[in-house]
Amino acid sequence: MLRQFFASRFWALVRKEVNQIVRNKQLLIMLIVPPTLQLLIYGFALNPDVHHLKLGVVDYAQTADSRELVAALTENRIFDVEMVTFDESVLARQVETGKLTVGMVIPPKFSRDLAGDRPSPIQFFIDGVDANTAGIASGYIRQIVQQFNQQYLSPNMRVPISTQVIFLYNQGLTSSWFFVPGVMGLVLTLIGSIVSSITVIREKDTGTLEQLLMTPSEAWEISLSKVVPLFVLLMGDVLLALTIGRLIFNVPFRGNFLLFMVLSGLYVFVGIGVGIMLATLCQSQQQVVLTTFFINLPMVQLSGAIAPIETMPKFFQYLSIVNPLRHYIAIVRGILLKGVGLEALWLHVLALAVFAIGLLAISTNRFRNQLN
Amino acid sequence: MVRNASPTAIALQAQDAARVPLIQVRDLRKNYGALAALQGISFEVYPGEVFGLIGPDGAGKTTTFHILGGVMEASSGMVDVLGQKPRNARLNIGYLTQQFSLYLDLSIDENLRYVAGLRRVNEADLQQRREKYLALMGLEQIGGRLAGQLSGGMKQKLALCCALMPQPQILLLDEPTTGVDPVSRREFWDVLATLASEGMTIVVATPYLDEAERCHRIALMYDGQINEVGTLKQLRLNLGLQRLEVRTEDIPATEQVLMPLVEKQTADLVDVQMFGDRLDVLVKDPTQAEPEVRRAIAEQGIVCQSIQQSEVTLENVFVTRLRQQGSDPPFIPLPRRVRTDSQVMRSNGDVRSAPVAIQARQLRKTFGTFQAVKGVDLEIRYGEIYGLLGANGAGKTTTIKMLCGLLPASGGEIALAGQTKNLRSRELRKRIGYMSQKFTLYDDLSVVENLKFYCGVYEVPTGYRQQKIDWVLEICGLQGQENMLTGRLPGGWKQRVAFGASVMHEPEILFLDEPTSGVDPLARRQFWRLINNLAQQGTAVLVTTHYLEEAEQCNRMGFMVAGEVVIQGSPSQIKAAQPGQLIELRVDQTQRASSLLKTQLESWRVSIFGDRLHVVLDQPERELPKLQSVLAAAEIQLLAQRVVPFSLEDAFISVVQRTEMGTKHRVD
């Protein structure tokens, strides 16, 4: 039985593909380097938390109260005091030139106002160029000042309603835990579609496809022999991404490993399906690579890999339902972070299965029609 | 050259010394890893000279061109082009590589304009040169046509035009006529001759040795070394042999009779070489040898038609030198599985009674409005070799692709191995072998991986695979090098491996589309012995080739012109159907005489064969004296003239050109 398999046409085709892939250093590099770099870059660089904002202080009061206020701001490492000056215009210029994010002016009568139970106005300049950061900074300032007020007024008074928020799954709210699963999906989509489209189109490019068609090989054998080695290699990429996520970003793995691999396999088929389909639409390697980027970018943007789907306009939120990457990312986050199984993910799994089967069927069929 | 220098050679050298060479090469070496591609070659090329580089596949010709063209650095040695390093002289070099270096989706004019822009040719010069060169190539009427729609010969002419755009001083042409049909080939060389007469210096490599005879000087390369350099005359003198052209009823049998005489070395015979319908017997003394040959042939009861004494051709020189080097590739028949089915015809059977393997009736193909194939009828039986011959773009490849099911026909009927329906079925494909025009091996796999792959997809039984692979390696002379990447093999060797790969599964029907394109003369002879052997075992072979002399080995053939088979029959039928008589002229200025005679006669009647002219005349007694006086008036000396039988190449040239002028002939 096994002997028969190794003497078969299909095995000859698979071996040929494997030999070609092993010879193709570029392809192997492409399978290892870009996924690693992308994971590292996105994991480290994509961090919406705001820390260490540069704060400039003009403290005309110079009292214990005013120093306490500054301390309250810098306590959580949200603000770092970059400069202390007595010249408001210098402060303003520093904010203007972007050397400071926030400038704070404490008036001379600060302590006197507080002692006299009058509200004391404090002035903040915030660099609004980066709207996101500015918004977050002003939010923090409001919160900190409010807390300062409460504590100052009645250190021992009970607050009528207190919130006790508990963050589930990601207690430390480490943002890389959110990004790494998204980037894993992104990497698989990108690499899977490019690599598979290239291996298919190369045969067309060099004219060997015609010779292949004159051999007794069936079209399904030719297509499948291209899919199988790619599948194995891309599953290697899944493991690579998982390892980087575990070791470097300490992303937890709370779910079932087998389930994760099976569903990742399903998604790898989606990537290969996209790649083969593009290869049947294009005439040359150059064309196919460019087209792959054109397809991949919107797919990634609409997947929730980087920006949460909830922040998108309604139309795009609906559109993202037909994006297989969205479902895969939901699955990865579910298994890795929540440790849930099929009972919670079945809708995503179903969607993914439909996409995988559909894309692979359409693309191999198109490829076969080209062959015939 | 020094090794074989004769007095005349030395005299000519002295003459050369008076001129300053444009290209000087001294002890040039090039290594690719452990492989020494060039092992110290030296030569020089003088202004206005056409310098030919000939040698077997893998001799180092392309490497030499790469270095001369400044696209590759030598490992050691001196190269001087126009007094500088090739890289710096690039602007003055026009370089035509083996592949067409054109933009196929641009028109002829756009291609020229692009090159002109790249080389900063100003508008006025562009227009003037465009007109001049397109007219010279005969392309002036179709400037708007896309390069991709041109035939192979036209593409090469356009590529030459592009190379000429910046008016280089030197042209480097690496096998420009490989895959180009005999008519277009001659036109291309007429252009080269015109350019050379205007002072262009040309270095050219070609696998067609009749073309190489038109070079001023020729270098014979072998294994990274130049063994001999000289004019055709010098090379002949160096060989020191004469040639007997022997024509008999049965050429292969005659070869069998004469070969032992060569091996015994007692007789005067040095070598016997088969050229289609004749044997060239190389002898030291023709007057002594001729009776010997006649006697030997008569003893075997073979009817001798004619024996003519003549000077050796360049191909004679080349083949003899290669055989002296011991580089004759071996002939080993394909090792076969024991067949149980008796459907396939065996040798010695009459081909005419064998079943039909390939049949086509009124086969048509149209691409848009273009009729590529117009009603072709074919019938090829098992054990038969059928040659489909024709100019580039005549529709041969399209016909083959339809017959083997790669391209749907627009009309007509096809029967393949008795099947009329489902030509793409797996069972049918197992019985078919196909070698397409393009190299069809995977360049990024090693030779042995390629062979294993084809064994696997054709499901050669595992027990036989190693034997088959060894066979291919042996006929290609690649034992011990089987792990080399296929992409690194020279073109001619790739062809040999591809041929081996396409017959390992012992096909019953074999399609070969220009299998010998770019393959050296000795390897081509080996190819044809293998093809003959396959046919004897019952394989039906459909083959296309631009080497007409090897096409003599086909049982039957058809000439295709513009999508139609215009004449069909056995080689002798086709030759017999030619009108008029063929006269071979030897003159002192072949090129000039050819141009002159073409003004006197219809152009298809005059063609250059090496250093000779072939002229077709209807009434030689009346016309010949007139031509003689025309030549005399132009001060062209007529050295010899004789009546020769039509070769297939003569027939091809006249059929193709006459058909293109509107006449049609049919045999059968």
Side-chain angles (χ1 to χ4, degrees):
Chain A
M1 181 62 197
L2 206 60
R3 271 183 70 110
Q4 235 169 28
F5 175 72
F6 285 124
S8 72
R9 276 193 310 271
F10 181 63
W11 177 244
L13 285 162
V14 170
R15 244 183 91 161
K16 181 213 99 193
E17 293 293 332
V18 172
N19 280 333
Q20 282 186 307
I21 289 170
V22 170
R23 281 272 152 61
N24 194 344
K25 298 267 173 348
Q26 262 175 310
L27 191 76
L28 292 180
I29 288 171
M30 181 133 172
L31 281 167
I32 296 171
V33 178
T36 311
L37 283 181
Q38 275 167 334
L39 270 168
L40 292 179
I41 288 171
Y42 281 116
F44 282 123
L46 268 185
N47 197 337
D49 301 349
V50 177
H51 288 294
H52 304 292
L53 293 173
K54 289 173 191 143
L55 176 71
V57 178
V58 177
D59 185 356
Y60 291 125
Q62 294 287 335
T63 59
D65 292 329
S66 71
R67 279 191 290 274
E68 207 154 306
L69 179 63
V70 173
L73 285 167
T74 55
E75 214 170 40
N76 294 326
R77 302 244 156 265
I78 291 172
F79 295 101
D80 289 342
V81 176
E82 279 291 299
M83 73 176 291
V84 175
T85 171
F86 286 102
D87 189 345
E88 259 175 82
S89 64
V90 171
L91 188 74
R93 204 159 41 247
Q94 292 289 315
V95 175
E96 234 168 69
T97 53
K99 290 192 177 116
L100 293 175
T101 316
V102 179
M104 174 167 77
V105 183
I106 304 176
K109 49 182 182 157
F110 178 66
S111 287
R112 266 175 280 142
D113 282 346
L114 290 183
D117 246 5
R118 288 184 298 271
S120 177
I122 295 171
Q123 191 180 17
F124 285 97
F125 310 103
I126 301 177
D127 178 0
V129 170
D130 183 348
N132 195 37
T133 309
I136 291 168
S138 94
Y140 278 136
I141 290 167
R142 247 178 253 285
Q143 261 184 36
I144 292 168
V145 170
Q146 203 182 343
Q147 255 171 19
F148 180 87
N149 286 343
Q150 267 175 20
Q151 246 161 28
Y152 187 86
L153 282 178
S154 46
N156 304 314
M157 200 185 86
R158 286 185 63 98
V159 187
I161 301 172
S162 86
T163 47
Q164 280 291 320
V165 179
I166 296 171
F167 294 104
L168 293 173
Y169 312 125
N170 187 357
Q171 287 83 353
L173 286 186
T174 319
S175 57
S176 61
W177 288 17
F178 171 78
F179 282 116
V180 168
V183 176
M184 278 173 67
L186 179 159
V187 161
L188 278 185
T189 317
L190 203 66
I191 304 294
S193 57
I194 290 186
V195 167
S196 57
S197 62
I198 286 177
T199 53
V200 170
I201 204 125
R202 198 177 40 187
E203 198 112 29
K204 231 202 268 187
D205 257 358
T206 53
T208 42
L209 194 57
E210 192 179 89
Q211 189 74 29
L212 204 54
L213 292 181
M214 279 314 293
T215 69
S217 319
E218 300 284 348
W220 69 265
E221 289 176 318
I222 298 177
S223 344
L224 196 61
S225 71
K226 292 209 172 286
V227 171
V228 168
L230 285 176
F231 178 78
V232 173
L233 286 173
L234 289 169
M235 286 312 277
D237 259 359
V238 171
L239 288 176
L240 176 76
L242 197 60
T243 314
I244 292 174
R246 278 298 288 131
L247 294 184
I248 297 184
F249 297 108
N250 289 315
V251 176
F253 196 111
R254 297 186 173 125
N256 183 319
F257 181 72
L258 199 67
L259 181 69
F260 172 76
M261 287 309 275
V262 168
L263 295 179
S264 293
L266 208 54
Y267 188 68
V268 163
F269 278 127
V270 170
I272 295 175
V274 170
I276 294 182
M277 184 141 83
L278 293 181
T280 61
L281 292 171
C282 298
Q283 293 307 318
S284 67
Q285 189 156 326
Q286 201 181 10
Q287 236 179 39
V288 90
V289 170
L290 288 174
T291 321
T292 321
F293 274 105
F294 177 72
I295 298 284
N296 272 319
L297 283 177
M299 223 170 128
V300 169
Q301 295 304 333
L302 290 182
S303 66
I306 295 161
I309 292 173
E310 291 71 25
T311 62
M312 297 174 197
K314 267 281 175 293
F315 170 74
F316 289 102
Q317 291 194 24
Y318 287 122
L319 193 65
S320 75
I321 294 174
V322 294
N323 182 355
L325 183 55
R326 175 196 170 154
H327 300 287
Y328 179 61
I329 289 173
I331 289 170
V332 176
R333 285 186 182 141
I335 296 179
L336 259 57
L337 304 182
K338 297 187 192 170
V340 293
L342 278 178
E343 71 290 342
L345 298 170
W346 65 273
L347 205 59
H348 292 300
V349 174
L350 193 70
L352 204 57
V354 168
F355 284 119
I357 293 168
L359 270 171
L360 211 58
I362 295 171
S363 61
T364 48
N365 200 39
R366 277 193 60 93
F367 182 54
R368 221 174 54 198
N369 285 341
Q370 268 191 354
L371 302 186
N372 291 336
Chain B
M1 160 159 188
V2 177
R3 200 177 59 187
N4 291 310
S6 64
T8 20
I10 289 164
L12 273 161
Q13 261 186 321
Q15 216 176 49
D16 290 343
R19 294 179 287 161
V20 184
L22 276 191
I23 298 176
Q24 234 180 332
V25 173
R26 283 271 162 275
D27 199 32
L28 186 67
R29 282 165 203 279
K30 176 73 193 177
N31 301 320
Y32 300 107
L35 183 80
L38 292 180
Q39 310 184 20
I41 60 168
S42 305
F43 62 88
E44 47 279 312
V45 182
Y46 295 94
E49 193 174 38
V50 180
F51 186 83
L53 267 182
I54 61 173
D57 308 322
K61 290 168 292 182
T62 297
T63 304
T64 310
F65 277 107
H66 281 335
I67 293 171
L68 289 179
V71 294
M72 188 190 268
E73 288 288 324
S75 300
S76 72
M78 194 270 285
V79 194
D80 187 290
V81 177
L82 296 163
Q84 41 196 331
K85 284 191 168 179
R87 259 198 89 70
N88 305 331
R90 270 186 309 172
L91 281 178
N92 280 313
I93 300 175
Y95 185 13
L96 227 66
T97 52
Q98 271 177 21
Q99 281 91 29
F100 300 124
S101 42
L102 296 169
Y103 291 89
L104 298 182
D105 40 10
L106 294 185
S107 70
I108 292 183
D109 282 334
E110 284 162 349
N111 265 294
L112 290 176
R113 189 166 288 279
Y114 169 75
V115 174
L118 212 58
R119 296 297 190 96
R120 295 192 196 152
V121 178
N122 66 43
E123 186 63 31
D125 282 348
L126 165 67
Q127 286 311 329
Q128 181 243 326
R129 288 173 200 172
R130 177 191 166 275
E131 249 162 64
K132 174 183 168 191
Y133 292 125
L134 285 187
L136 188 63
M137 317 278 173
L139 298 172
E140 70 272 32
Q141 301 292 335
I142 49 171
R145 198 183 290 183
L146 292 188
Q149 294 169 349
L150 298 175
S151 70
M154 284 181 178
K155 275 186 200 152
Q156 280 302 47
K157 283 189 196 164
L158 175 57
L160 183 60
C161 265
C162 289
L164 287 168
M165 233 341 118
Q167 292 223 306
Q169 285 176 266
I170 297 174
L171 272 181
L172 302 177
L173 310 173
D174 190 4
E175 303 203 354
T177 51
T178 291
V180 174
D181 70 73
V183 178
S184 309
R185 236 159 30 84
R186 285 180 169 74
E187 288 169 2
F188 189 88
W189 273 84
D190 287 341
V191 172
L192 290 190
T194 313
L195 291 173
S197 68
E198 288 169 5
M200 180 72 72
T201 307
I202 300 170
V203 183
V204 58
T206 174
Y208 296 92
L209 295 175
D210 61 320
E211 287 180 354
E213 290 191 3
R214 293 169 77 167
C215 295
H216 296 122
R217 284 191 310 140
I218 302 145
L220 295 187
M221 267 190 103
Y222 176 75
D223 215 6
Q225 287 169 322
I226 289 183
N227 296 50
E228 243 179 312
V229 187
T231 60
L232 179 61
K233 206 170 165 187
Q234 288 168 341
L235 296 178
R236 278 176 177 155
L237 276 173
N238 292 346
L239 190 69
L241 296 175
Q242 294 290 312
R243 166 171 81 117
L244 294 177
E245 269 186 45
V246 179
R247 289 187 167 80
T248 66
E249 301 263 84
D250 189 345
I251 293 294
T254 315
E255 194 186 14
Q256 294 294 313
V257 172
L258 295 179
M259 265 334 249
L261 293 182
V262 174
E263 277 149 26
K264 263 195 289 180
Q265 294 186 328
T266 49
D268 213 19
L269 278 59
V270 178
D271 205 352
V272 178
Q273 298 166 5
M274 182 154 79
F275 286 91
D277 63 342
R278 64 164 213 264
L279 285 175
D280 278 0
V281 181
L282 302 192
V283 297
K284 293 193 188 97
D285 182 354
T287 40
Q288 232 175 49
E290 195 184 319
E292 266 181 76
V293 172
R294 275 190 194 281
R295 202 179 324 119
I297 296 172
E299 272 171 21
Q300 296 298 316
I302 299 166
V303 179
C304 180
Q305 292 160 327
S306 74
I307 295 184
Q308 289 184 315
Q309 296 180 14
S310 178
E311 281 187 302
V312 291
T313 62
L314 184 59
E315 188 150 351
N316 293 140
V317 175
F318 185 69
V319 170
T320 311
R321 290 291 186 220
L322 283 185
R323 284 193 175 153
Q324 285 168 352
Q325 301 270 9
S327 74
D328 208 352
F331 164 68
I332 307 154
L334 171 70
R336 287 179 170 269
R337 287 175 285 160
V338 188
R339 274 263 169 85
T340 47
D341 56 322
S342 57
Q343 184 226 346
V344 177
M345 201 212 55
R346 293 285 151 192
S347 55
N348 303 327
D350 184 9
V351 170
R352 298 232 155 220
S353 61
V356 175
I358 307 169
Q359 191 167 37
R361 264 189 229 290
Q362 286 304 304
L363 194 60
R364 283 183 293 110
K365 181 74 196 177
T366 42
F367 296 107
T369 55
F370 174 65
Q371 282 191 293
V373 176
K374 315 170 187 165
V376 165
D377 291 311
L378 288 176
E379 198 177 85
I380 302 161
R381 292 170 187 277
Y382 286 107
E384 194 175 28
I385 305 175
Y386 186 92
L388 199 55
L389 310 175
N392 299 114
K396 301 179 304 266
T397 299
T398 310
T399 307
I400 288 191
K401 282 191 178 169
M402 282 192 285
L403 288 175
C404 58
L406 280 174
L407 206 62
S410 307
E413 286 162 35
I414 299 171
L416 209 54
Q419 293 199 32
T420 49
K421 290 207 177 73
N422 201 5
L423 296 176
R424 300 272 313 135
S425 82
R426 179 204 290 192
E427 283 314 306
L428 192 54
R429 271 182 287 161
K430 263 190 194 176
R431 293 154 65 186
I432 295 176
Y434 172 66
M435 178 178 172
S436 75
Q437 221 172 43
K438 266 184 163 184
F439 300 132
T440 46
L441 300 167
Y442 293 92
D443 276 353
D444 50 354
L445 295 184
S446 71
V447 172
V448 73
E449 281 167 349
N450 263 302
L451 294 175
K452 277 185 181 162
F453 170 66
Y454 281 110
C455 267
V457 285
Y458 278 107
E459 290 182 318
V460 173
T462 30
Y464 291 94
R465 289 188 186 178
Q466 197 52 48
Q467 197 187 358
K468 305 264 184 188
I469 291 170
D470 288 342
W471 172 75
V472 178
L473 294 175
E474 210 172 337
I475 59 165
C476 299
L478 282 173
Q479 298 117 307
Q481 287 170 281
E482 60 265 33
N483 291 320
M484 191 147 121
L485 273 193
T486 310
R488 293 186 54 185
L489 286 179
W493 280 16
K494 269 193 212 167
Q495 290 286 84
R496 293 191 223 177
V497 178
F499 173 77
S502 66
V503 301
M504 281 190 298
H505 61 292
E506 302 172 25
E508 293 166 32
I509 298 175
L510 184 57
F511 294 97
L512 300 171
D513 198 358
E514 291 187 26
T516 52
S517 174
V519 175
D520 71 54
L522 282 180
R524 260 167 32 218
R525 285 179 168 75
Q526 178 207 31
F527 253 93
W528 276 90
R529 292 178 74 174
L530 293 169
I531 294 172
N532 268 316
N533 178 258
L534 287 168
Q536 273 163 21
Q537 302 289 325
T539 304
V541 184
L542 176 59
V543 60
T544 71
T545 177
H546 288 313
Y547 295 93
L548 273 296
E549 119 239 332
E550 64 184 28
E552 297 263 7
Q553 302 191 42
C554 298
N555 302 91
R556 284 191 314 124
M557 57 180 56
F559 285 1
M560 269 188 101
V561 183
E564 284 175 280
V565 175
V566 291
I567 183 168
Q568 210 167 165
S570 69
S572 44
Q573 281 173 322
I574 285 177
K575 285 182 281 185
Q578 298 309 309
Q581 248 191 335
L582 186 64
I583 318 286
E584 183 187 275
L585 304 176
R586 282 210 328 138
V587 293
D588 58 347
Q589 301 164 64
T590 317
Q591 193 67 47
R592 248 191 83 209
S594 161
S595 319
L596 183 65
L597 291 181
K598 279 188 179 178
T599 62
Q600 300 289 312
L601 302 163
E602 293 157 286
S603 66
W604 64 268
R605 290 180 183 272
V606 184
S607 37
I608 296 181
F609 275 70
D611 68 337
R612 286 143 293 139
L613 275 177
H614 282 192
V615 182
V616 181
L617 298 176
D618 290 334
Q619 292 161 310
E621 312 79 24
R622 207 166 51 78
E623 290 170 283
L624 206 50
K626 222 173 78 191
L627 296 182
Q628 282 165 350
S629 59
V630 169
L631 290 176
E635 293 182 335
I636 295 170
Q637 211 188 339
L638 183 61
L639 303 172
Q641 70 180 57
R642 59 174 185 159
V643 176
V644 289
F646 276 93
S647 71
L648 268 184
E649 190 147 343
D650 292 300
F652 180 88
I653 292 169
S654 72
V655 167
V656 167
Q657 298 197 338
R658 271 181 297 150
T659 313
E660 279 169 357
M661 284 187 262
T663 351
K664 238 166 122 180
H665 293 256
R666 255 179 214 281
V667 194
D668 253 353

